[in-house]
């Protein structure tokens, strides 16, 4: 009945569903276990009327014009540079570390990128090619800034010594010698003007696409006919954990609404050393929503146990080895395409997931069908 069964209505599943339905004119069934589309990017109006991201802050950013143009077919944007402050030694300082961070933290008067670079050169540790998340940071900014801005946050987020975590994790946060206080420097940054869920519903609005929610794909196998499968769930679960379980980090969100216009100065404040949560997000800063009340979300990280949502693959050598065993099995299956943050066990951003789905469509699907 369906040409494709697509597991997961997040970016991976929805982009591929849209492409296949529209470009190949094939029938697609998208199933998701959750009660909504949009995967981890899902947003909704809470009981206080504030638009919140259910699964933690999602700030879209990309340099990839193709990805931006593609998503722009389904949404207008609220362009907004993402700025974060971090609470260190009782003060709110800019992160990524930049000239102002150093001046405010140490009472310095550095005025040029050369002076800032000279400061970093004086404190950085020669690690050779950084082999882990600790070396990645100390090789740029030295021990003190590492301890104040990175060590505590990384321990809270991953519960793993940064020495045992891949360098790519802390490499996500750059170091700046100028006063640029944007979290990302990408060309395109913001949030969909009417929210992520609205963008996904436009993407999936096609007569060739059927969506089935609150359904585990395992419950419909054998009951529904389909040709190929596209799978964006956890890869270890697909293979019934036959090589063992891949670890993931989960999150606990604490939402609170205040009867006041604003709660904090920025859309996101990180807490590397104080409290048990990693960050507090105030949604209205990012969405531009006007309301006399405001909602904030505190985020606590924990290891995903049975039944919990899996949010982050854990970038660590032994996990990668285990993933490779599953990947080898996945490569043997001609009729199943694995795609996404959980299926590829990779710490992808949204734009990377979209780029990968578009690439898979062009390389694997459109060619096959044009033959
Ligand atoms: P998902 O969105 O996880 O979708 C997979 C879907 O598959 C889920 O809806 C799940 O319910 C479904 N599924 C799984 N198993 C089954 C099953 N057995 N049967 C049926 N359905 C199933 N990226 C950014 O670019 N910027 C950010 O600021 C940002 N912030 C983030 C903050 C947090 C807290 C998290 C967790 C991620 C963040 N990301 C961010 C990353 C972004 O969420 C992902 O890159 C993107 O959502 C991945 O899309 P996906 O389709 O691969 O996976
Ligand atoms: N990080 C940190 N201090 C910060 C921000 C980030 O130590 O103030 C480290 C931490 O290890 C974190 C990683 O950098 O997990 C990536 O941060 P990012 O903000 O990209 O995390 P995400 O939004 O993906 O959770």
């Amino acid at each position: 009945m369906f040409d494709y069964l697509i597991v997961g209505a997040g970016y991976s599943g929805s982009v591929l569903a849209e492409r296949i339905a529209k470009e190949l004119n094939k029938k697609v069934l998208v199933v998701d276990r959750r009660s909504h589309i949009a995967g981890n990017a899902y947003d909704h109006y809470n009981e206080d009327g504030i638009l919140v991201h259910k699964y933690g802050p999602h700030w879209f950013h990309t340099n990839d014009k193709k990805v931006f143009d593609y998503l722009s077919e389904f949404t207008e944007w609220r362009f907004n540079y993402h700025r974060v402050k971090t609470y260190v030694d009782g003060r709110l300082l800019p992160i990524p570390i930049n000239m102002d961070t150093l001046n405010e933290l140490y009472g310095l008067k550095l005025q040029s990128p050369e002076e800032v670079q000279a400061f970093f050169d004086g404190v950085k540790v020669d690690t050779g090619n950084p082999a882990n998340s600790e070396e990645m940071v100390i090789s740029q900014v030295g021990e003190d800034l590492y301890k104040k801005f990175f060590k505590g946050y990384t321990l809270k987020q991953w519960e793993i010594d940064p020495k045992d975590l891949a360098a790519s994790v802390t490499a996500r946060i750059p170091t700046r010698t100028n006063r640029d206080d944007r979290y990302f420097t990408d060309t395109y940054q913001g949030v969909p003007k009417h929210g992520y869920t609205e963008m996904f519903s436009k993407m999936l609005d096609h007569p060739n696409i059927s969506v089935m929610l609150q359904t585990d794909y395992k419950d419909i196998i054998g009951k529904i006919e389909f040709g190929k499968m596209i799978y964006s769930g956890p890869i270890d679960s697909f293979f019934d954990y036959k090589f063992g379980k891949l670890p993931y980090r989960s999150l606990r969100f604490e939402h609170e609404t205040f009867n006041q216009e604003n709660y904090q100065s920025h859309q996101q404040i990180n807490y590397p050393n104080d409290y048990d949560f990693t960050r507090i997000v105030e949604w209205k800063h990012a969405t531009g929503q006007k309301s006399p009340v405001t909602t904030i979300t505190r985020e606590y990280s924990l290891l995903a146990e049975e039944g919990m949502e899996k949010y982050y693959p854990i970038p660590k050598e032994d996990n990668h080895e285990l993933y490779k065993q599953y990947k080898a099995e996945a490569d043997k299956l001609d009729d199943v395409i694995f795609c996404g943050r959980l299926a590829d066990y990779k710490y992808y951003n949204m734009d990377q997931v979209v780029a990968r789905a578009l690439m898979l469509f062009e390389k694997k699907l459109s060619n096959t069908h044009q033959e």
Side-chain angles (χ1 to χ4, degrees):
M1 244 180 77
F2 293 98
D3 298 294
Y4 285 87
L5 171 65
I6 299 192
V7 180
Y11 277 99
S12 307
S14 300
V15 169
L16 281 164
E18 188 277 338
R19 291 288 76 197
I20 291 166
K22 187 170 168 207
E23 296 297 324
L24 306 180
N25 195 23
K26 299 278 175 190
K27 296 247 175 280
V28 177
L29 174 64
V30 180
V31 287
D32 203 299
R33 288 199 283 236
R34 290 169 169 169
S35 59
H36 57 73
I37 58 169
N40 282 342
Y42 173 72
D43 54 12
H44 67 116
Y45 287 89
N46 67 11
E47 63 277 18
D48 303 302
I50 303 295
L51 183 62
V52 301
H53 301 177
K54 180 166 184 188
Y55 305 102
H58 278 70
W59 317 130
F60 182 78
H61 59 102
T62 192
N63 280 322
D64 191 332
K65 185 165 168 22
K66 192 171 165 186
V67 166
F68 177 74
D69 287 346
Y70 172 73
L71 292 178
S72 301
E73 286 178 37
F74 312 102
T75 188
E76 292 173 62
W77 298 90
R78 177 173 195 265
F79 294 111
N80 171 41
Y81 287 120
H82 178 40
R83 288 189 165 83
V84 179
K85 291 275 184 181
T86 188
Y87 186 74
V88 168
D89 291 352
R91 270 177 294 190
L92 290 180
L93 301 171
I95 177 101
I97 293 171
N98 68 9
M99 185 191 289
D100 289 324
T101 316
L102 298 182
N103 285 340
E104 289 171 40
L105 180 68
Y106 295 124
L108 300 172
K109 293 201 166 59
L110 305 173
Q111 284 180 339
S112 68
E114 292 73 25
E115 284 176 336
V116 175
Q117 191 55 56
F119 177 91
F120 287 140
D121 289 345
V123 293
K124 71 184 184 190
V125 178
D126 183 6
T127 60
N129 193 21
N132 57 56
S133 264
E134 177 176 308
E135 289 185 6
M136 189 70 222
V137 180
I138 61 172
S139 65
Q140 294 180 66
V141 301
E143 298 276 1
D144 192 50
L145 291 164
Y146 164 68
K147 285 196 184 119
K148 287 185 156 80
F149 290 79
F150 286 89
K151 190 174 182 181
Y153 191 103
T154 303
L155 280 168
K156 267 196 244 181
Q157 172 70 17
W158 303 98
E159 281 183 288
I160 291 173
D161 190 316
K163 284 194 192 77
D164 297 323
L165 208 54
S168 57
V169 175
T170 49
R172 289 168 62 87
I173 314 299
T175 303
R176 307 242 171 82
T177 54
N178 56 20
R179 302 188 62 200
D180 190 345
D181 66 346
R182 294 171 301 165
Y183 207 60
F184 315 108
T185 50
D186 293 347
T187 311
Y188 308 102
Q189 300 193 33
V191 287
K193 195 167 180 181
H194 304 291
Y196 287 98
T197 309
E198 183 74 17
M199 175 177 82
F200 276 80
S201 83
K202 293 224 168 74
M203 213 183 278
L204 292 169
D205 182 16
H206 191 282
N208 284 339
I209 301 178
S210 305
V211 178
M212 205 175 189
L213 298 173
Q214 290 177 295
T215 307
D216 193 309
Y217 81 100
K218 289 189 178 174
D219 294 338
I220 58 166
I221 295 287
K223 297 182 187 149
I224 281 177
E225 278 179 52
F226 61 91
K228 291 195 179 208
M229 184 194 286
I230 291 169
Y231 180 78
S232 71
I235 190 168
D236 54 347
S237 149
F238 183 90
F239 292 107
D240 295 322
Y241 311 104
K242 67 180 187 180
F243 301 122
K245 286 193 170 181
L246 279 164
Y248 298 85
R249 297 297 292 174
S250 193
L251 297 167
R252 180 170 70 80
F253 300 105
E254 198 175 81
H255 307 283
E256 194 170 348
T257 296
F258 293 89
N259 255 329
Q260 59 199 56
E261 208 151 321
N262 279 117
Y263 174 82
Q264 62 188 29
S265 56
H266 284 69
Q267 68 192 49
Q268 184 177 318
I269 297 182
N270 290 355
Y271 289 86
N273 310 309
D274 300 83
Y275 308 109
D276 292 336
F277 45 81
T278 51
R279 52 191 179 187
I280 301 182
V281 165
E282 184 175 2
W283 304 102
K284 277 166 60 182
H285 286 294
T287 58
Q289 195 182 345
K290 301 275 179 256
S291 167
V293 303
T294 192
T295 301
I296 59 137
T297 301
R298 302 182 193 89
E299 204 171 313
Y300 300 82
S301 172
L302 65 164
L303 192 67
E305 284 170 14
E306 197 57 41
M308 287 182 187
E309 291 286 353
K310 296 168 175 172
Y311 293 113
Y312 291 83
I314 304 179
K316 199 166 167 276
E317 190 52 41
D318 45 351
N319 299 342
H320 185 62
E321 290 306 313
L322 180 54
Y323 164 72
K324 281 197 326 209
Q325 285 182 270
Y326 284 116
K327 169 87 168 75
E329 290 297 292
D331 287 343
K332 289 181 202 158
L333 301 177
D334 286 336
D335 287 341
V336 187
I337 292 173
F338 291 76
C339 171
R341 182 150 145 144
L342 302 172
D344 293 336
Y345 199 68
K346 293 220 170 52
Y347 191 176
Y348 291 137
N349 289 327
M350 294 182 274
D351 63 325
Q352 294 170 305
V353 172
V354 174
R356 174 152 165 74
L358 293 176
M359 186 276 289
L360 276 174
F361 176 74
E362 278 161 26
K363 295 257 157 68
K364 286 206 168 179
L365 301 172
S366 54
N367 287 349
T368 341
H369 286 267
Q370 276 160 17
E371 276 164 14

